[in-house]
Amino acid sequence: MLPKQAGLFALRLCAIFLALSIVTAEDPYRFFNWNVTYGDIYPLGVRQQGILINGQFPGPEIYSVTNDNLIINVHNSLPEPFLLSWNGVQQRKNSYQDGVYGTTCPIPPGKNFTYTLQMKDQIGSFFYFPSLAFHKAAGGFGPIKVLSRPRIPVPFPEPAGDYSLLIGDWYKTNHTKLKAILDRGHRLPFPDGILINGQGPNGTSFTVEQGKTYRLRISNVGLQHSLNFRIQGHKMKLVEVEGTHTVQTTYSELDIHVGQSYSVLITADQPAQDYFVAVSTRFTKPVLTTTATLHYSNSKRPVSGLIPGGPTSEIDWSLNQARSIRTNLTASGPRPNPQGSYHYGLINITRSIKLESSAAQVDKKQRYAVNSVSFVPADTPLKIADYFDIDGVFRVGSISDNPTGKKMYLDTSVMGADFRAFVEIVFQNHEDIVQSWHIDGYSFWVVGMDGGVWTPASRNQYNLRDAVSRCTTQVYPKSWTAIYMALDNVGMWNVRTEFWARQYLGQQFYLRVYSPVKSLRDEYPIPVNALLCGRAVGRQTRPL
Ligand SMILES: *[C@@H]1O[C@H](CO)[C@@H](O)[C@H](O)[C@H]1NC(C)=O
Ligand SMILES: *[C@@H]1O[C@H](CO)[C@@H](O)[C@H](O)[C@H]1NC(C)=O
Ligand SMILES: *[C@@H]1O[C@H](CO)[C@@H](O)[C@H](O)[C@H]1NC(C)=O
Ligand SMILES: *[C@@H]1O[C@H](CO)[C@@H](O)[C@H](O)[C@H]1NC(C)=O
Ligand SMILES: *[C@@H]1O[C@H](CO)[C@@H](O)[C@H](O)[C@H]1NC(C)=O
Ligand SMILES: *[C@@H]1O[C@H](CO)[C@@H](O)[C@H](O)[C@H]1NC(C)=O
């Protein structure tokens, strides 16, 4: 055997052992069989074609426990390609399962694909969503809960109930029309309303028993707008943000930016009646508001009084609230040891990256960019091209670590990074809107945010002790946000704005976290059931 073939043979043997070891692993399996279809929905009173999963809008909830293996067979019954992605699920060593354009071939119409996800070392609240075209504007999203394993302490008593609330801005216009607006090079109009679990005003009700405490997991699955969440007459105790148990601070209202998830505890400690749950857009004129009902099981009165108003002060209030969200260092996360035992503030930064967003016209069409590059998809998913060594699909280094000041241009932008690097990323926002940034495959420490332009002196105000670790962070208008991230997950990872029109029009790129030692300890091989498309058609995914 030639050395290369021998290596390949060893790799395949390992793949078989790995497959066996996955199968015999003790971590439990949960199986899901999902059928994705179009169906009529009426969230704002008019008929629309929504994306349903097993007939449901929003889709079914994924309930899981740390380290569970989820086997999700997704049947695409839409007349077009489809993919689901998993916001906040880290897909450790397994970016093939990430379900975004750069990692996974679309599921063709009438076909199915089985995702294999492991909730490895994760707890918390997340959601899934359709990642292609502009499907997210039609539904197809649903909540994900990852509970702690039985013997791992949770820093609050078991709640009497655990409700997921998906909130988001919504259009009466169907997603194909919205997509056509963007494809023609225009901006999206203002949304028509806000939905809570797929329902418009007064459409949803949560029942509580007087005297008991409940957990609400609130995710902003909308397309663009930051939302404020509050409950008439009740306070909320924040306990978890995207997989981190937080210092338990009490708030009367919470700002939740696009793509973010928060868990709060509420106690039904008020007179027995019904109360408004209110959600409204932030930093917009006009302000859109919607309501749901918090219903006491022994309620004597329907909702009454005024819908509680949102905060009237703008950015500063929100910024101060964001800074007050910190990690509870003594609480356990997914593992029994306290979350504070990883001293991220003592690790030396090996690389500093600064990302600047911009909006401009390219060829007379509206586009959005990061460090001047507006992302355009290639004909083959980048991860798959990488696996099969297919040249000419992308170039590592096609986006710079720092703003270049160049005019905006189109490219399939991929940033290279070393496995085990420890990076600082500064998101600099020169625009007048609140931005929201998400990184797949990771959770990162939000070490600082402030108004103005970031300078090295801004590091003096970083929180190097108990910053919150999460996967989606906001960047306020004309402000910066800095994060620290340990690159401990090999793969091809999407870095994107959660502002969906901007994401669609190029404000994203891929971070290729690479290890020259192609070890199965660091990354799983391509799944044997992987769909192949573009220039990978006809390649072999199965071990011989
Ligand atoms: C999915 O639902 C459609 C419409 O109800 C049905 O025609 C199709 O057979 C279903 N597919 C699967 C795989 O269940
Ligand atoms: C969206 O609306 C257009 C025009 O009304 C229609 O042609 C199209 O079929 C609709 N698409 C979906 C997915 O509902
Ligand atoms: C498609 O679904 C069938 C069962 O309905 C399953 O046997 C098969 O493995 C699935 N295909 C993929 C690519 O996951
Ligand atoms: C932090 O977690 C500990 C351990 O579970 C808990 O006892 C404590 O109340 C929490 N502290 C705050 C401020 O949330
Ligand atoms: C929701 O219910 C409240 C209280 O009954 C009522 O005042 C309000 O008009 C309702 N809103 C809508 C849009 O139906
Ligand atoms: C970080 O860098 C400093 C100065 O270069 C060095 O003295 C220190 O040992 C480094 N710390 C770690 C944890 O590598």
Side-chain angles (χ1 to χ4, degrees):
M1 245 187 245
L2 298 172
K4 195 175 168 189
Q5 282 174 329
L8 215 59
F9 180 71
L11 201 74
R12 284 185 177 140
L13 215 64
C14 287
I16 292 167
F17 282 131
L18 189 84
L20 290 176
S21 71
I22 290 172
V23 171
T24 54
E26 286 185 5
D27 299 319
Y29 279 73
R30 293 177 193 269
F31 296 90
F32 301 81
N33 202 26
W34 283 359
N35 189 6
V36 181
T37 59
Y38 277 126
D40 288 343
I41 54 171
Y42 303 80
L44 294 176
V46 298
R47 184 166 65 92
Q48 285 180 268
Q49 216 169 27
I51 294 181
L52 315 182
I53 297 181
N54 292 352
Q56 299 174 40
F57 168 73
E61 174 178 287
I62 292 182
Y63 173 96
S64 63
V65 174
T66 303
N67 293 349
D68 279 358
N69 295 292
L70 309 187
I71 311 295
I72 308 175
N73 192 351
V74 177
H75 300 266
N76 177 16
S77 302
L78 305 183
E80 67 233 34
F82 183 79
L83 271 182
L84 285 176
S85 187
W86 322 89
N87 217 72
V89 179
Q90 287 173 10
Q91 325 286 0
R92 297 200 72 79
K93 311 176 186 179
N94 207 357
S95 57
Y96 298 104
Q97 308 290 344
D98 204 29
V100 286
Y101 185 81
T103 61
T104 318
C105 289
I107 310 172
K111 295 279 193 283
N112 66 303
F113 173 66
T114 307
Y115 289 88
T116 309
L117 317 181
Q118 191 180 15
M119 301 322 213
K120 185 74 185 160
D121 285 331
Q122 288 196 269
I123 54 159
S125 313
F126 308 102
F127 63 90
Y128 60 84
F129 67 94
S131 63
L132 299 182
F134 214 58
H135 287 156
K136 199 181 175 200
F141 41 71
I144 300 177
K145 285 180 185 168
V146 193
L147 278 89
S148 297
R149 283 174 289 163
R151 274 174 294 279
I152 311 258
V154 174
F156 47 88
E158 169 109 10
D162 184 336
Y163 292 119
S164 293
L165 279 81
L166 302 183
I167 60 177
D169 49 14
W170 190 261
Y171 291 84
K172 291 179 183 169
T173 312
N174 79 27
H175 70 97
T176 44
K177 268 197 190 161
L178 294 175
K179 180 173 169 291
I181 294 173
L182 298 174
D183 289 339
R184 280 200 306 272
H186 301 300
R187 293 168 183 244
L188 286 189
F190 193 66
D192 298 303
I194 300 170
L195 304 190
I196 302 178
N197 286 352
Q199 306 283 328
N202 299 340
T204 321
S205 165
F206 303 93
T207 302
V208 293
E209 276 181 49
Q210 203 172 21
K212 294 196 170 163
T213 298
Y214 295 81
R215 180 175 187 167
L216 305 182
R217 299 170 187 253
I218 313 152
S219 297
N220 185 340
V221 299
L223 298 182
Q224 167 172 354
H225 290 288
S226 301
L227 297 173
N228 182 268
F229 181 91
R230 53 205 183 265
I231 303 176
Q232 188 183 27
H234 291 73
K235 299 262 191 231
M236 303 178 278
K237 194 194 269 181
L238 184 71
V239 292
E240 179 253 340
V241 170
E242 293 152 31
T244 298
H245 285 135
T246 59
V247 168
Q248 294 175 11
T249 308
T250 300
Y251 298 97
S252 39
E253 48 206 344
L254 263 183
D255 275 352
I256 303 177
H257 306 277
V258 210
Q260 295 186 330
S261 302
Y262 289 84
S263 281
V264 297
L265 299 180
I266 57 147
T267 300
D269 55 4
Q270 296 299 307
Q273 62 167 78
D274 290 357
Y275 296 89
F276 281 118
V277 173
V279 182
S280 51
T281 53
R282 288 286 273 144
F283 323 118
T284 62
K285 279 195 188 110
V287 171
L288 291 174
T289 299
T290 197
T291 55
T293 310
L294 183 75
H295 171 68
Y296 278 47
S297 57
N298 58 344
S299 170
K300 302 201 172 50
R301 274 212 299 170
V303 281
S304 61
L306 292 175
I307 296 172
T312 46
S313 62
E314 291 290 305
I315 303 299
D316 285 351
W317 183 93
S318 194
L319 177 64
N320 285 333
Q321 179 171 82
R323 285 179 176 151
S324 72
I325 299 172
R326 290 174 292 131
T327 298
N328 180 337
L329 298 176
T330 60
S332 299
R335 291 166 178 267
N337 52 325
Q339 297 179 132
S341 50
Y342 191 99
H343 297 281
Y344 69 91
L346 300 180
I347 303 173
N348 287 335
I349 297 166
T350 58
R351 182 168 170 189
S352 193
I353 296 165
K354 190 169 174 196
L355 302 176
E356 262 182 30
S357 60
S358 55
Q361 301 241 319
V362 177
D363 299 333
K364 299 209 178 78
K365 286 186 169 177
Q366 183 65 46
R367 296 290 301 184
Y368 299 91
V370 188
N371 288 356
S372 300
V373 198
S374 186
F375 182 85
V376 283
D379 60 3
T380 310
L382 315 179
K383 182 66 212 168
I384 290 179
D386 216 5
Y387 181 82
F388 291 117
D389 283 326
I390 302 170
D391 284 340
V393 174
F394 67 89
R395 285 174 300 114
V396 174
S398 42
I399 174 169
S400 140
D401 276 21
N402 285 287
T404 58
K406 282 190 197 153
K407 221 176 121 196
M408 189 185 294
Y409 61 97
L410 311 182
D411 203 347
T412 303
S413 31
V414 176
M415 185 183 284
D418 295 332
F419 181 41
R420 306 233 183 267
F422 192 81
V423 299
E424 170 193 54
I425 301 177
V426 176
F427 295 100
Q428 180 69 56
N429 181 2
H430 294 294
E431 300 177 88
D432 267 327
I433 56 156
V434 180
Q435 302 176 342
S436 187
W437 286 91
H438 174 89
I439 303 182
D440 279 355
Y442 285 93
S443 132
F444 46 74
W445 290 273
V446 182
V447 293
M449 47 175 80
D450 206 353
V453 175
W454 183 92
T455 67
S458 307
R459 290 186 178 127
N460 298 332
Q461 52 164 294
Y462 282 3
N463 175 355
L464 297 182
R465 194 176 158 268
D466 62 355
V468 73
S469 175
R470 64 187 314 173
C471 57
T472 309
T473 184
Q474 70 272 37
V475 191
Y476 290 101
K478 302 210 183 302
S479 301
W480 55 267
T481 294
I483 64 169
Y484 277 6
M485 193 162 81
L487 298 187
D488 56 2
N489 195 9
V490 173
M492 185 73 79
W493 302 110
N494 192 215
V495 179
R496 62 171 176 267
T497 172
E498 291 281 53
F499 186 150
W500 218 239
R502 288 177 166 238
Q503 178 274 151
Y504 180 74
L505 293 178
Q507 204 159 70
Q508 56 170 312
F509 65 93
Y510 283 83
L511 185 68
R512 178 180 182 259
V513 180
Y514 179 77
S515 163
V517 190
K518 294 200 170 165
S519 164
L520 291 164
R521 258 189 327 199
D522 299 335
E523 190 177 25
Y524 295 153
I526 194 166
V528 290
N529 69 336
L531 300 170
L532 298 179
C533 54
R535 286 188 248 172
V537 167
R539 299 286 180 130
Q540 180 67 253
T541 62
R542 282 159 205 284
L544 291 178

